[in-house]
Amino acid sequence: MYCSYFWFLRMEKTFAYTVRSAVISLVFLIWLLPAAHAQNMELRMLESIQSGRTTTGVQVANGISNTIYPVAAGAVIGELAYGYLAHDKTWQTNGWQMAAGLTVTLGATYILKNTVKRERPFQKYPEQVISDSHTNEYSFPSGHTSTAFSLATSLSLQCPKWYVIAPSFLYAGAIGYSRMYLGMHYPSDVAAGAVIGVASSWITYKGTQWLQHRKQATKKPETF
């Protein structure tokens, strides 16, 4: 029991350090985006990822990519439904925290997309990057990736067990890779999406903890 508690504390510290480093990296990425050498490097990385592109691979990547929004919605609804049906305050709180994390993630992603206004790689380099999509949405950051990493972070903080953390982040990583394989995003779009997802869920998780502690501190003791 004590080992699990101290392991959880170490994991929270690791998340805190990761979030701080990730935010700094995000700022650096935004600053670096206009640089021609950075674009060329990312284009080469995309070409390398797509070099083994096959019809089956595209179908698998599309299948993985298309799961994230239903999975994220299902996770929130599942936690809230169980929490209210079982009258379990912990699961209710978890459900609302996850919903808040995803809301902040999607909001930040939307704002950045419409501020940076980066073209999709298949739009800017149609001869080098292959894609079957005709979307007109902007590229930076990846919304699928930010949603996936937001979900993975919330689940990992709520249930800090290796059998939750490992599959959650492997799934999030697969979502990010699928977006590059499909020619929808640059590597920096995916990296920025991961940063936003992790940071948003970590901040809302810590905010939820702070609100709970404050509520408990201000709660008047019962009189008999």
Side-chain angles (χ1 to χ4, degrees), residues 86-103:
H87 304 288
D88 189 316
K89 294 289 185 183
T90 299
W91 280 99
Q92 291 175 27
T93 301
N94 286 347
W96 287 116
Q97 180 275 313
M98 183 181 287
L102 288 167
T103 301

Side-chain angles (χ1 to χ4, degrees), residues 108-127:
T109 300
Y110 178 81
I111 290 170
L112 275 174
K113 276 183 182 290
N114 290 278
T115 300
V116 178
K117 295 184 178 180
R118 188 186 201 185
E119 282 186 289
R120 300 271 182 176
F122 70 86
Q123 294 171 329
K124 190 172 180 66
Y125 303 102
E127 299 299 322

Side-chain angles (χ1 to χ4, degrees), residues 141-183:
S142 167
H144 285 70
T145 307
S146 63
T147 301
F149 275 88
S150 176
L151 177 63
T153 302
S154 289
L155 289 171
S156 298
L157 288 168
Q158 292 171 6
C159 186
K161 305 290 186 182
W162 71 267
Y163 50 80
V164 174
I165 297 170
S168 296
F169 280 99
L170 282 173
Y171 172 64
I175 293 289
Y177 186 84
S178 74
R179 303 305 288 164
M180 293 184 290
Y181 187 86
L182 293 169

Side-chain angles (χ1 to χ4, degrees), residues 185-201:
H185 288 288
Y186 297 97
S188 59
D189 299 339
V190 170
V195 169
I196 292 167
V198 171
S200 297
S201 285

Side-chain angles (χ1 to χ4, degrees), residues 7-224:
W7 185 85
F8 177 70
L9 288 179
R10 284 199 301 271
M11 193 197 76
E12 278 207 316
K13 289 180 180 178
T14 302
F15 260 111
Y17 175 78
T18 302
V19 168
R20 286 195 295 269
S21 302
V23 170
I24 294 171
S25 300
L26 177 59
V27 173
F28 179 72
L29 277 174
I30 295 172
W31 174 77
L32 194 63
L33 285 181
H37 68 276
Q39 287 275 6
N40 291 334
M41 182 179 68
E42 290 202 273
L43 181 58
R44 289 196 298 272
M45 290 174 68
L46 268 184
E47 288 178 321
S48 175
I49 290 170
Q50 288 201 315
S51 62
R53 184 181 163 103
T54 63
T55 302
T56 302
V58 170
Q59 291 174 343
V60 172
N62 267 316
I64 293 171
S65 181
N66 292 336
T67 62
I68 183 55
Y69 292 119
V71 167
V76 172
I77 293 170
E79 287 195 345
L80 288 173
Y82 177 81
Y84 283 103
L85 288 173
H87 304 288
D88 189 316
K89 294 289 185 183
T90 299
W91 280 99
Q92 291 175 27
T93 301
N94 286 347
W96 287 116
Q97 180 275 313
M98 183 181 287
L102 288 167
T103 301
V104 172
T105 295
L106 293 172
T109 300
Y110 178 81
I111 290 170
L112 275 174
K113 276 183 182 290
N114 290 278
T115 300
V116 178
K117 295 184 178 180
R118 188 186 201 185
E119 282 186 289
R120 300 271 182 176
F122 70 86
Q123 294 171 329
K124 190 172 180 66
Y125 303 102
E127 299 299 322
Q128 292 110 312
V129 180
I130 307 167
S131 179
D132 299 325
S133 175
H134 302 288
T135 182
N136 291 319
E137 293 182 0
Y138 295 116
S139 185
F140 183 90
S142 167
H144 285 70
T145 307
S146 63
T147 301
F149 275 88
S150 176
L151 177 63
T153 302
S154 289
L155 289 171
S156 298
L157 288 168
Q158 292 171 6
C159 186
K161 305 290 186 182
W162 71 267
Y163 50 80
V164 174
I165 297 170
S168 296
F169 280 99
L170 282 173
Y171 172 64
I175 293 289
Y177 186 84
S178 74
R179 303 305 288 164
M180 293 184 290
Y181 187 86
L182 293 169
M184 298 296 291
H185 288 288
Y186 297 97
S188 59
D189 299 339
V190 170
V195 169
I196 292 167
V198 171
S200 297
S201 285
W202 185 82
I203 289 168
T204 55
Y205 178 81
K206 298 304 290 185
T208 301
Q209 283 188 324
W210 179 80
L211 288 172
Q212 286 181 310
H213 291 322
R214 186 180 179 187
K215 185 177 179 181
Q216 291 172 357
T218 56
K219 189 177 180 181
K220 295 180 179 179
E222 295 182 1
T223 55
F224 297 92

